Amino acid sequence: MARENIMQNKEQVFETIWLGRTLKIRTGKLARQADASVLVQYGDTVVMANVVQAKQEREGVDFFPLMVEFEEKLYAAGIIKGSRWIKREGRPSDQSILTGRMIDRSIRPLFDESVRRDVQVIITVLAVDQENDHDIVGLVAASAALSISGINWRGPISGVRIGRTNGELIFNPTYEQQAASDLDLIVAGTEKKVIMIEAGAQEVPEAEILKAIMLGLKEMQPAIELIKEMQKQVEPKKVAEKVVLKSEDDKKNEVEKERIFSIAKEWLNANVKGILFDKIYYTKGERKAAVEAVKQKLDQYLFEQNISKDWRSKAVKNLVEEAIETEVTNGILNEKRRVDGRSLTEIRDLSGEVSILPRDHGTGLFSRGETQVLSILTLGAPGLEQSLEGLDGMTKKRFMHHYNFPPYSVGEASPLRATGRREIGHGALAEKALMPVVPDKEDFPYAIRVVSETLSSNGSSSMGSTCAAVLALMDAGVPIKKHVGGIAMGLASNKDMSRWEVITDLQDLEDGNGGMDFKITGTDSGLTAIQLDTKTDGLSEEIIAKTFAQGRVALNQVLEILKSAIPAPRTELSPYAPRIIKFMVNPEKIGAIIGPGGKIINKIIEETEVTIDIDNDGTVIICGTNAEKCQLAFDRVKSIVREYEAGEIFSGKVVRLMDFGAFVQIAPNQDGMVHVSELAPYRVDKPSDMVKVGDPVQVKIKEIDSQGRINLTMKGMEENNIYWQEEKGKSQSNGSGGGFGNGRRFDNGGRGDRRRDHFDRPRRQDNGFRNSGGEAQANKLPENESNNQSGSNNTVNPITAKSPEDLIDPFLGK
């Protein structure tokens, strides 16, 4: 127990008030075998970050091996996975991957790129309060852990999220404030410079975003100061450096390496510029060939110096790429000259086309130089929107953009694998760029999926996919509000950033050390998305301002090309796209549409081959590719939910018989009851005497009772004559002599010459008619009885009729 208390007392806690809430960092208690571990709490959102650097260098790699993993644990939000069979968290969600990439782009520029030992940063969300964003807390946690890890990292940094409501900036907004914001901006930086930007915006002007970025840099400083305070008081874990034993041969090899590399560098300094800039290399293939020529000529030169193949290979591998990057940068800084001959503000050739494929719902092809992207759009029923499960609970996404980057797009052959993090990130960026112009669900209820296939890549295929997707949306007839263009801006700078130039339309050889990849998308009114990563120690306000100004000129050029390809969305959808009928019903009627266990709605779907989506507010959306079947489904649903009124007349079908009446279907899934007394204008003993199941009848709504039951009548409906006529014939043929002979007596019941209509006809009892006293009469006809009924000279009183053919009812006719 004593030892346990000693261990617990090692925890150190640091806190400050940051933007009105307490930011607290704990270290020393958890995950002690990691190189560094911190627990960061902001409000009630808690994130843990752990950092480990491998003890051995990784052999055979020519890059810095950094791994950033962001883990969203559902328990942090009190959620158990909704799947019935799988309850563990599976592969990272897209949102986890995007957050991990955001943190990676923030911390990577400050590492020593020459290191070949794996560094892994794992950020785990332990608790969320649904108010403070865990991605910003995760970024602070990663910075704090690296700052006390003992790893060579030039931090600390921090990050801040910025929203804007009614023109007022909000720093680290709550979820509720974010929902009302027209700007979602994340900025990461050091004390003075911006390292990373990630933004989505509702066409916010560049000047407003620049202002938000620089104020955000100022507002993140309290978090940086807290990490610095922690650095002073927490002793980094000391990792014993591996003792490298060097033999005499090893020492000789080091000397030899230095000599050979010196010879190679001297040759490269003298010859690279002449090879790269002796002519204009217009294509990526030509530039690759030029780079290969540098490698071959260096190898040949070293061969002539009697240097072995092994040393020649090492010199080429380690020195050529760096020398080329340096010369490309020098060409831009010293001569404002680019390898492909363009000026610093010039965009490569642009083109846009639509309707590339015959049956797809919408297609767009966009090219910028050798970067070429084909976007294909598919429209679907609202029920096909994507369901997402994360720390925010269950959410849905109606507009989806997916990005593919096959190996042939860069002239390579490699296996096709599952979608990578890069593909997810590029797809999400274009999706974010387009969201502000996608119509609301109320105006265009379709689920929309755009897939961008990168056919050829040489600089910012993500911006190419944004432009191609806009063309596909308009080609499909999706009523987007405006064209959205995208462009990637680059940077050339010297080591101390004392000299720099912003370049428009970044491509292959220009994306080296001292550079940046600053992607911006927008309409003619403002920006919709930004993504910045840099290979510098950060950008100044001057560089960002110049990038926005130069980028706006480029954006306008891209927008003109898009508008020339298709000026506005098509007014009609593709004939192969599904059609939607949208209408409202009384929410209380939703259960009637669905039916017990979904029986009714599933039957409609099966018979009409459509999809039906119903919202709790009573919105019904019917979707299908056949317009007639959509209309049929619409009619079926409307018949279920219609409000019936007394006096309405329907042609229906008898569906069930009971002793007290017959049930008639007046519409699909809607029955009413005809009481036995309402089957005919005379007495009927049993419903089965009059009708049978399946008989077509005409009915009128007599009343709708307090429980919503529909009471019907068959009286007064001419189409029912056949049943009354047949019933008369049956009654007349039941006597012993048939017809009007033996076994019956007809009498007017002593009512004299009182006028009768069909509602006053004598009531049947067994095989005869009753008189007014209810007794069966003798089989006798008065000889001198005349037809005193007025209104029709063709009407024969049943009492004086001499045969069934003479019997004419005033309502039934003959």
Side-chain angles (χ1 to χ4, degrees):
M1 181 65 70
R3 179 174 178 80
E4 182 179 343
N5 290 334
I6 291 174
M7 297 292 285
Q8 289 179 351
N9 289 335
K10 288 186 177 181
E11 183 180 42
Q12 294 173 272
V13 181
F14 307 87
E15 63 180 73
T16 188
I17 299 300
W18 184 32
L19 296 168
R21 281 151 281 179
T22 299
L23 175 66
K24 187 180 295 185
I25 304 176
R26 293 185 173 93
T27 187
K29 182 177 181 179
L30 304 178
R32 292 191 182 90
Q33 295 194 60
D35 290 348
S37 178
V38 298
L39 202 67
V40 178
Q41 181 172 347
Y42 193 51
D44 283 340
T45 294
V46 181
V47 176
M48 179 173 63
N50 295 286
V51 175
V52 174
Q53 184 176 45
K55 307 305 182 284
Q56 303 288 337
E57 288 193 352
R58 193 196 293 190
E59 296 292 336
V61 297
D62 57 357
F63 59 90
F64 170 57
L66 173 66
M67 297 171 284
V68 178
E69 313 287 349
F70 189 86
E71 297 183 303
E72 290 183 339
K73 300 294 187 180
L74 293 180
Y75 57 67
I79 296 172
I80 296 177
K81 195 174 181 67
S83 170
R84 294 175 58 190
W85 295 276
I86 301 173
K87 296 301 178 182
R88 287 181 66 100
E89 288 87 355
R91 68 178 298 277
S93 67
D94 284 1
Q95 188 56 50
S96 291
I97 291 171
L98 296 175
T99 303
R101 283 172 55 86
M102 180 270 291
I103 296 174
D104 184 306
R105 299 195 337 264
S106 301
I107 63 177
R108 184 179 290 272
L110 302 183
F111 282 98
D112 181 357
E113 288 291 324
S114 66
V115 172
R116 296 297 178 259
R117 292 163 62 183
D118 287 326
V119 174
Q120 186 172 44
V121 182
I122 299 179
I123 305 109
T124 307
V125 183
L126 301 179
V128 293
D129 60 9
Q130 303 299 343
E131 185 170 325
N132 297 290
D133 264 325
H134 50 272
D135 49 4
I136 295 299
V137 183
L139 175 56
V140 173
S143 174
L146 285 167
S147 297
I148 61 172
S149 66
I151 296 172
N152 184 7
W153 184 68
R154 302 183 301 277
I157 65 168
S158 183
V160 66
R161 177 175 243 115
I162 307 162
R164 193 180 79 147
T165 304
N166 299 323
E168 181 180 351
L169 296 177
I170 306 170
F171 299 95
N172 284 348
T174 63
Y175 284 10
E176 183 178 354
Q177 290 170 326
Q178 288 179 44
S181 175
D182 65 356
L183 176 65
D184 183 17
L185 170 65
I186 297 177
V187 179
T190 62
E191 291 177 288
K192 297 180 179 179
K193 293 184 176 181
V194 174
I195 290 182
M196 191 283 309
I197 300 173
E198 184 78 35
Q202 301 284 336
E203 299 181 84
V204 178
E206 289 90 335
E208 293 296 315
I209 294 180
L210 177 61
K211 174 185 174 183
I213 291 170
M214 301 319 297
L215 287 174
L217 187 64
K218 177 182 177 181
E219 295 294 345
M220 71 177 68
Q221 296 308 311
I224 293 177
E225 291 302 319
L226 183 64
I227 296 173
K228 286 185 173 183
E229 179 186 344
M230 181 182 64
Q231 278 183 306
K232 295 176 183 177
Q233 300 187 37
V234 176
E235 184 178 356
K237 181 180 290 187
K238 293 182 180 180
V239 180
E241 291 292 333
K242 181 180 178 181
V243 178
V244 179
L245 301 177
K246 295 182 179 180
S247 65
E248 289 299 322
D249 289 340
D250 292 332
K251 294 177 182 179
K252 289 179 181 180
N253 283 335
E254 287 186 358
V255 173
E256 182 68 2
K257 175 182 177 181
E258 186 176 347
R259 182 185 74 85
I260 294 171
F261 277 29
S262 177
I263 295 172
K265 287 179 181 178
E266 184 178 353
W267 184 91
L268 289 168
N269 291 337
N271 292 277
V272 167
K273 180 178 180 180
I275 297 174
L276 286 182
F277 292 101
D278 66 337
K279 65 175 184 178
I280 295 174
Y281 297 99
Y282 293 101
T283 68
K284 185 176 181 180
E286 291 175 345
R287 290 187 290 277
K288 277 187 173 183
V291 171
E292 190 61 31
V294 172
K295 292 180 178 180
Q296 290 177 1
K297 290 182 178 182
L298 174 61
D299 184 68
Q300 178 66 30
Y301 175 76
L302 294 176
F303 174 77
E304 293 171 357
Q305 305 302 312
N306 294 319
I307 295 173
S308 68
K309 181 179 180 180
D310 182 50
W311 281 115
R312 297 200 310 268
S313 298
K314 289 179 180 179
V316 169
K317 180 178 180 181
N318 288 279
L319 300 178
V320 171
E321 299 288 347
E322 181 180 352
I324 289 175
E325 286 182 2
T326 300
E327 198 55 52
V328 169
T329 299
N330 289 337
I332 294 172
L333 294 178
N334 299 331
E335 304 174 26
K336 292 184 171 50
R337 182 180 181 185
R338 302 169 78 172
V339 179
D340 63 356
R342 287 184 291 146
S343 71
L344 303 189
T345 60
E346 187 177 350
I347 306 177
R348 289 168 288 172
D349 291 340
L350 300 171
S351 67
E353 299 177 52
V354 295
S355 302
I356 303 299
L357 302 173
R359 297 182 69 91
D360 300 270
H361 300 166
T363 53
L365 179 67
F366 179 79
S367 299
R368 185 186 60 251
E370 291 180 284
T371 296
Q372 185 183 59
V373 181
L374 174 66
S375 290
I376 300 98
L377 180 143
T378 306
L379 298 175
L384 294 176
E385 60 189 3
Q386 184 178 10
S387 295
L388 304 172
E389 185 177 34
L391 296 183
D392 297 331
M394 294 295 296
T395 57
K396 296 198 174 196
K397 185 165 72 169
R398 171 175 148 262
F399 173 64
M400 299 155 279
H401 176 267
H402 297 148
Y403 167 96
N404 293 321
F405 191 82
Y408 62 75
S409 66
V410 288
E412 296 177 358
S414 62
L416 292 176
R417 303 298 187 194
T419 304
R421 297 186 175 212
R422 179 180 180 277
E423 285 79 6
I424 291 172
H426 281 24
L429 176 60
E431 183 175 293
K432 183 186 298 184
L434 297 171
M435 275 301 299
V437 301
V438 172
D440 295 334
K441 186 174 182 178
E442 291 71 23
D443 300 324
F444 193 78
Y446 288 93
I448 308 168
R449 180 177 184 243
V450 182
V451 179
S452 291
E453 303 286 356
T454 306
L455 306 181
S456 177
S457 178
N458 181 23
S460 193
S461 54
S462 62
M463 295 297 90
S465 67
T466 300
C467 298
V470 166
L471 297 177
L473 284 162
M474 289 192 164
D475 184 50
V478 178
I480 64 173
K481 302 163 188 174
K482 290 183 178 181
H483 292 79
V484 177
I487 193 71
M489 307 296 291
L491 178 73
S493 66
N494 60 1
K495 191 170 184 179
D496 63 2
M497 300 289 291
S498 60
R499 299 177 61 208
W500 54 267
E501 292 286 350
V502 173
I503 54 178
T504 297
D505 187 17
L506 181 67
Q507 66 175 352
D508 54 84
L509 296 181
E510 298 167 339
D511 189 18
N513 288 330
M516 69 177 183
D517 188 358
F518 200 135
K519 302 181 179 76
I520 57 176
T521 70
T523 68
D524 50 14
S525 300
L527 301 186
T528 60
I530 304 172
Q531 188 176 92
L532 162 69
D533 58 83
T534 179
K535 295 179 180 179
T536 69
D537 284 345
L539 306 182
S540 65
E541 180 177 4
E542 186 181 4
I543 294 175
I544 298 172
K546 178 71 179 299
T547 302
F548 279 149
Q550 196 167 310
R552 169 47 64 182
V553 176
L555 268 183
N556 290 341
Q557 294 178 45
V558 173
L559 290 170
E560 286 303 314
I561 295 298
L562 299 177
K563 291 175 182 177
S564 65
I566 180 167
R570 299 195 188 280
T571 56
E572 296 289 336
L573 300 181
S574 162
Y576 304 106
R579 265 46 183 177
I580 279 181
I581 300 176
K582 179 181 176 182
F583 57 99
M584 298 292 296
V585 301
N586 185 340
E588 296 179 357
K589 295 280 189 176
I590 292 176
I593 301 173
I594 297 173
K599 179 180 178 181
I600 294 175
I601 193 170
N602 286 333
K603 184 178 180 182
I604 297 174
I605 291 172
E606 180 181 355
E607 293 177 352
T608 59
E609 299 176 353
V610 301
T611 62
I612 302 177
D613 297 285
I614 306 176
D615 290 338
N616 292 332
D617 65 352
T619 302
V620 179
I621 299 177
I622 296 173
C623 183
T625 55
N626 186 304
E628 292 183 0
K629 291 184 177 180
C630 286
Q631 185 62 43
L632 177 60
F634 169 79
D635 294 339
R636 294 275 295 273
V637 173
K638 290 294 284 186
S639 69
I640 295 172
V641 301
R642 68 166 294 176
E643 302 291 339
Y644 294 93
E645 297 180 0
E648 290 186 273
I649 297 174
F650 299 89
S651 294
K653 180 174 66 175
V654 178
V655 293
R656 187 157 48 104
L657 296 177
M658 305 293 287
D659 290 341
F660 50 81
F663 286 88
V664 177
Q665 184 182 60
I666 60 175
N669 309 301
Q670 182 61 62
D671 298 345
M673 188 193 73
V674 183
H675 190 265
V676 65
S677 63
E678 298 293 334
L679 287 169
Y682 49 82
R683 176 181 174 82
V684 176
D685 282 341
K686 295 183 298 182
S688 58
D689 290 342
M690 179 65 65
V691 292
K692 64 180 182 296
V693 173
D695 281 349
V697 295
Q698 189 175 55
V699 293
K700 179 169 67 176
I701 296 179
K702 184 177 181 182
E703 66 172 353
I704 301 174
D705 65 19
S706 59
Q707 298 182 41
R709 296 176 300 192
I710 299 176
N711 296 320
L712 306 170
T713 180
M714 289 173 58
K715 294 179 179 179
M717 305 291 103
E718 294 186 5
E719 283 76 359
N720 299 326
N721 289 357
I722 183 173
Y723 300 110
W724 298 332
Q725 186 72 42
E726 289 176 354
E727 184 60 22
K728 285 181 179 180
K730 293 177 185 177
S731 300
Q732 294 164 358
S733 63
N734 281 340
S736 60
F740 289 88
N742 297 330
R744 288 195 183 190
R745 177 175 179 178
F746 293 85
D747 192 274
N748 64 1
R751 287 178 285 183
D753 294 334
R754 179 184 174 189
R755 182 170 181 240
R756 289 192 306 110
D757 58 19
H758 62 287
F759 291 110
D760 295 323
R761 71 190 308 155
R763 297 180 179 179
R764 297 188 301 115
Q765 176 67 28
D766 298 328
N767 293 328
F769 288 88
R770 289 174 177 244
N771 65 5
S772 58
E775 297 177 357
Q777 301 297 304
N779 187 17
K780 180 179 180 181
L781 293 175
E783 294 179 359
N784 298 319
E785 188 71 24
S786 63
N787 180 13
N788 295 322
Q789 193 165 347
S790 62
S792 176
N793 294 330
N794 296 325
T795 301
V796 179
N797 192 302
I799 298 177
T800 60
K802 294 182 170 54
S803 71
E805 288 73 16
D806 293 333
L807 184 62
I808 302 175
D809 186 277
F811 176 74
L812 298 177
K814 190 168 182 177

